[in-house]
Amino acid sequence: MRTAAAEATATAYVEDVSPGSGTLPPRARYTSSDAKSLSLNGSWRFRLSDTADAEDDSFAEPGHDTDGWAELTVPGHWVLQGHGSPIYTNHRYPFPVDPPRVPTENPTGDHLRVFDLPGDWPVPDDDGCGAVLRFDGVESCARVWLNGTCLGEFKGSRLPHEFAVGPLLRPAGNVLAVRVHQWSAGSYLEDQDQWWLPGIFRDVTLLHQPRGCARDFFVHASYDHRDGTGTLRVDSDVAGRVTVPALGIDVPTGEPVTVPVTPWSAEEPHLYDGLLATEGERVPLRVGFRTVKLSDGLITVNGTPVLFKGVNRHEWHPERGRALDLETMREDVLLMKRHNVNAVRTSHYPPHPDFLDLCDEYGLWVIDECDLETHGFTEQGWRDNPVDDDRWTPALLDRAARTVERDKNHPSVVLWSLGNEAGTGRGLTAMAEWIHGRDPSRLVHYEGDHTCRDTDVHSRMYADHAEVERIGRGLDGGTRKCRELPFLLCEYAHAMGNGPGGLADYQRLFEAHARLQGGFVWEWIDHGIAHPELGFAYGGDFGEELHDGNFVCDGLLFPDRRPSPGLTEFKKVIEPVAITGTDGSVRVTNKYDFADLSALRLTWAYQVDGETVASGTLPLPALAPRESAGLDLPAPPPDAPAGEALWTVRAVLASDTPWAPEGHVVAWGQIPVSETRPPYLTPTARPTPHGDGVLVLGPGTFDARTGALTAIGGVAVVAPRLDVWRATTDNDDGAAWQPERRFGPLWRRLGLHRVRHRLDAVEHTDHALTVRTRVAPAASDLGLRTVYRWTSDGQRLRLTVSVAPEGDWTVPLPRLGIRIGLSSADRVEWFGGGPGEAYPDTGAAAELGRWQSTVDDLQTPYVRPQENGARAGVRWAELGGLRIEGDPVFSLTARRWTTEQLDAATHRTDLSPGDTVWLHLDHALHGIGSQSCGPGPLPPYHLRAEPAGFSLVFSPLPTTPTGPTTPTGPPALTG
Ligand code: IPT
């Protein structure tokens, strides 16, 4: 009979602060070319219990009856395979904080797999180390049995754990049993801002270890930029020989050899194939020669300071969670390379090891972060923080060692990071000391200690532009140590929802001050979970009692890996070639740190009113990094039509690369030749009453009493009226903890989402219809005196809107423009910024040109619906049978739902198209910023409430629908 006390002892390891027992010491991860391996991924039997001790361990015995057990795919998370639910919290622990205790309700998954050894598997050695069983990632704590023998248990979810199993193996019918607990003492160290997803989520592999196998080795490959030589030394547990045929290297392990080499960099990731041959096995090596150093207060690689244009990457797949396959990892790397990203911080744990192989191969700088975060202790003033409690130090050192030992042979890894948001404490110092000792060839990063006690770089997150500039200029306070270090923004530009705004402003600072060595956007991908009813689910969608909503969707990619406008913007802002110029000549600057421009060629197009009238290529000199040259553009074609002319110059790949084909655009610029030509209209038509309460002015039909426009030619409209509201973005709403003013809540408090339109007068004179109104919310004396003045030349209709704020406006406006409803519209064509959305501080990537889209494709699918889709700088647009010209240029938004519906929606599936297409023709919009976790929009991007005027010219297109159909919607300008 089992007693409660006996069971408590049997599961005591779950709440033990120690990293585990029975595992082998950590070592490098490698794939042998001749030692056998057997993947144990695939279908496993699975049983879920509510508590750690609900079932005894008899399931681990060979012959256990698993009838009635489920099937589960490994790698995978059981909560994404129909057993239990995911939980999302940002930093709060979803259980009482009483370290190292965890709740009695502790979902526990028993996993079982029976396997045979392949016929050619070598007969098990009897020296006790003939085979190793490796787990690449299990959340959060596992106990493992093979053929009924308990091997041990481990914690450290995103770290490898190995057991020696040689003598236990049988040719057939091996029973591997793994008991996985969702919560353990280790959970206190794994409070990263992400879904809590238990399970065996990375590979399980059986590796043969022949006698005399390499076991562990350390490739030291440095580069001396002064003489162009590389020095290679491979230290191996088991002595052997190291060969690199391309370099004529053939030396014993442990012996350094220096030869001329081509160095490795993220821009030119040159790898040499080599081989480590020990008595028992042959291990392929991929050697990248590079030297990382702190020189004169800067992070240098191969003697050159590096500017990091980085992203924070969590592992994410909308169906499989953190169980990523190689193709998904490759997709991430390719998307990064194609968007000019040159660096990744592996927030906040070492990634699947294959990802680092891809970084070596394609070229990305990596900050490899340890699996450590104790952020939830901030809720109690960091009291009891494990990183400042010596009892936990072995667990911390274990995590540091498992990170460094596994990944030490990757040239892409240039910094080690101790973890994220873990406060400060002796445990971190112990980790840093150990890492510095074990691998002095790389730098150590940690953001959470603002004294920089343990680190080689001064790192911050979400510092605003002004503070970053002060740091760049050396005017920051803080410890002397910090002030002498180079500066990184390990997180900035929170990419939640629409945004981030202000990227270009950060980049200007990074480029202006040497000490600022760039940053890492938060974050790469939205962690939305594919959901049958909701599209993509976020926190709270699984009934969690504690959650942080859509804060988990803050990436540059949507959950399905479609790039968001934020990524397009980032690509433009960080492009490695600057293309500027004045009429007649173009200036090209190489902003790479290492590569010259020989891989690129230049194309040009001469465009008038967005139409290309001539195009060609320009010779591009192989400029060295930081060099710049002025190149003459050809003479504009003599027969070019009159209109708004400009040059569009692109730097494109001259030939195929491993990450993008020839012709892929790396950078571009536009050089204006002539100015925008505003529409001109001579008011000749007169407002004419037509009985039935109708007034006609040129092509416009109006309600004579209210002055509301009802049709333009044959196109029926819901009358245009002033609109200042937008469905607030995550950045408008801001984060609850932000002390600063957050405009989303202020706007709502002021009632800008419920303004009313008071009709004061409808006047017609000889050539104009004038409608005077006051637009204002209840309970406030704030208002906007708004005058609509209509004129026409008989063919076209011009609306001039004048707005005069009344009262003490202390907040900016969300938008300022008109909204008008059309009964139908599908295809949209415009001349202006495109192809994607652009707001005042997110508009760098908007290219002036002629664009086409459907109304549906104008929508940006932010996981939580919010303001989106504005096309900026529009000169004219055609849709729904109308041509609309702006004076000055305007922002165009068109949707099949109202702003109110967009504002009320919590998921995309809440939005269903209505009968009316709503157009927003905006004179101006408020900026975006990144206040969902950072600074709001900078003051120049605020839309201040001040007197404004703008005009729009409407004309019916030749082919209009037959007879007006009346769009439905709120009546306009009712008193
Ligand atoms: C910062 C975290 O490091 C990161 O994991 C993520 O939570 C991000 O914020 C916000 O999405 S911590 C921040 C609250 C200061």
Side-chain angles (χ1 to χ4, degrees), residues 88 90-91 191-194 314 345 347-348 373 375 420-421 447 461-462 491 494 496 522-523 551-552 554 737 932-933:
Y88 166 58
N90 165 11
H91 72 270
D191 191 25
Q192 292 93 343
D193 174 9
Q194 59 180 350
H314 267 290
R345 173 178 178 230
S347 54
H348 300 300
E373 171 155 347
H375 206 168
N420 184 60
E421 292 282 11
E447 188 273 346
M461 48 172 77
Y462 306 107
E491 291 177 27
H494 199 247
M496 184 179 182
W522 187 269
E523 68 176 303
F551 202 64
V552 78
D554 52 2
W737 66 82
S932 54
C933 192

Side-chain angles (χ1 to χ4, degrees), residues 34-56:
D34 44 16
K36 300 262 174 267
S37 73
L38 176 66
S39 168
L40 297 174
N41 294 347
S43 185
W44 289 48
R45 305 309 297 271
F46 177 75
R47 168 182 72 184
L48 184 64
S49 312
D50 294 338
T51 63
D53 61 359
E55 301 281 353
D56 64 23

Side-chain angles (χ1 to χ4, degrees), residues 676-693:
T676 314
R677 298 184 312 167
Y680 184 75
L681 182 150
T682 314
T684 50
R686 291 164 187 276
T688 317
H690 269 225
D692 285 351

